[in-house]
Amino acid sequence: MGGTICSGSTRPAANQRSSLPTERPALPYKTRRGRQGGSRPRNRRRRTADPNRLLTMPPAADLGRALCVITGASRGFGRAVALDLCRLVRPGSALVLVARSGADLRAVRAQLTESEAGRTGLKVELVEADVGKEESLEKIERKSREVFNDEMEKIIVINNAASLGDVSKFVTGFTDLAEVDAYLSLNVSSAMCLTARLLQAFPPRAGLRRCVINVSSLCALKPFRSWSLYCSGKAARDMMFKVLAEEEPELRVLSYSPGPLDTGMQVEARTKTADPSIKKTFSNMFAQGQLLTCEASSAKLMKLLLEDKFTSGDHVDVFDV
């Protein structure tokens, strides 16, 4: 799943207009102007909102006829993104959903094909695979080539698959090279190699727009004690995709931080984090109802894709959309 930490601090109000809370937890945050700070200016007007209220998409907005490849698509944020893309692509589009759990993937496909979009010509293909393995990347590329056709006008690659890593120990506890290599292979190397494979498979041509999404986190920007693997992986991915944006000017590249999502990764954060202050922060966020639904955060990502105004290579936080 994607990033689990972001900032926000107030209990959601029941009667607010916005879809997400606009204040962040009591953690260091990145302001809109890029400055770092620990508290907000006193004269700034404070707003709160219901994190479970979704954005309303313009009825005519769509993403065209597209091939969408989503890793980590069987549950959580990846599943929510698949459901949203299903509604926003045109008939003749294809979704390639990737995850390790075949049963969960089949459940997502059933939900997609039963929807209105599924009945009007959406193809949904499943790849049961561990993206940390070379043969899995070959399977994803092969399936993507099979479902692509010349009438498709857009390719969207969403690198969502990720793991938290061992947060029960600090940096000095990581002495096993194989453990660290395995984590980086799944969380960094796989995203680079899969993206490279798909961009080579579908090179630039007239009428084809290509977009790559890196599901990021506040941890890509800020250090959190006992989260060395996760922070390192997210930071590396952000920089990797910044470089990609520089190298491929016609490509649209976005690192999207989905916020503190109510997922299994948050359960791990609340129960296994070694640092007591970070662990307490996560527990307080859960108790105070400050976690976001995957659906609400995915709606923000869809808004970014529909508007298509972000600077390629940028890191955009859910609270800044």
Side-chain angles (χ1 to χ4, degrees), residues 21 46 53-54 58 62 74 79 90 97 112-113 118 133 212 225 241 268 273 280 288 299 302 316:
R46 297 194 170 199
R53 183 168 296 176
L54 304 183
D62 67 65
S74 63
R79 175 182 173 277
R90 292 180 185 173
L97 308 182
L112 291 172
T113 54
K133 297 181 178 179
V212 176
R225 293 181 296 274
F241 285 104
E268 287 188 73
T273 297
K280 182 179 180 181
Q288 295 170 12
M302 296 304 113
V316 178

Side-chain angles (χ1 to χ4, degrees), residues 243-258:
V243 172
L244 177 63
E246 292 289 327
E247 294 175 344
E248 305 284 341
E250 57 78 32
L251 186 67
R252 302 291 286 143
V253 181
L254 172 67
S255 288
Y256 174 68
S257 178

Side-chain angles (χ1 to χ4, degrees), residues 76-194:
F77 186 68
R79 175 182 173 277
V81 167
L83 293 171
D84 276 341
L85 287 175
C86 170
R87 292 186 284 267
L88 291 176
V89 295
R90 292 180 185 173
S93 296
L95 267 62
V96 176
L97 308 182
V98 182
R100 287 180 290 186
S101 171
D104 289 340
L105 280 175
R106 288 187 289 273
V108 176
R109 180 169 62 182
Q111 188 171 0
L112 291 172
T113 54
E114 289 169 2
S115 69
E116 181 180 352
R119 291 195 298 270
T120 55
L122 175 70
K123 181 177 290 188
V124 180
E125 297 290 341
L126 310 180
V127 181
E128 184 177 347
D130 179 350
V131 294
K133 297 181 178 179
E134 186 75 22
E135 58 269 24
S136 296
L137 302 185
E138 293 174 358
K139 288 170 60 177
I140 299 166
E141 180 187 349
R142 184 166 58 249
K143 182 61 68 176
S144 299
R145 288 179 180 272
E146 289 174 3
V147 299
F148 182 78
N149 63 71
D150 290 336
E151 294 182 355
M152 291 180 176
E153 54 199 358
K154 193 164 192 175
I155 293 175
I156 302 173
V157 180
I158 299 184
N159 290 287
N160 174 63
S163 65
L164 183 60
D166 189 349
V167 293
S168 69
K169 55 190 178 184
F170 299 96
V171 171
T172 54
F174 290 100
T175 58
D176 186 344
L177 186 62
E179 178 186 6
V180 176
D181 284 349
Y183 181 85
L184 294 176
S185 176
L186 173 62
N187 290 276
V188 179
S189 304
S190 68
M192 173 180 275
C193 294
L194 177 60

Side-chain angles (χ1 to χ4, degrees), residues 11 17 40 102 139 150 173 191 193 211 248 266 283:
R11 184 186 298 274
R17 294 181 183 177
R40 293 186 179 270
K139 288 170 60 177
D150 290 336
C193 294
C211 179
E248 305 284 341
Q266 266 288 334
S283 298

Side-chain angles (χ1 to χ4, degrees), residues 225-237:
R225 293 181 296 274
S226 73
W227 281 58
S228 57
L229 287 180
Y230 191 75
C231 290
S232 299
K234 289 299 184 184
R237 278 172 58 148

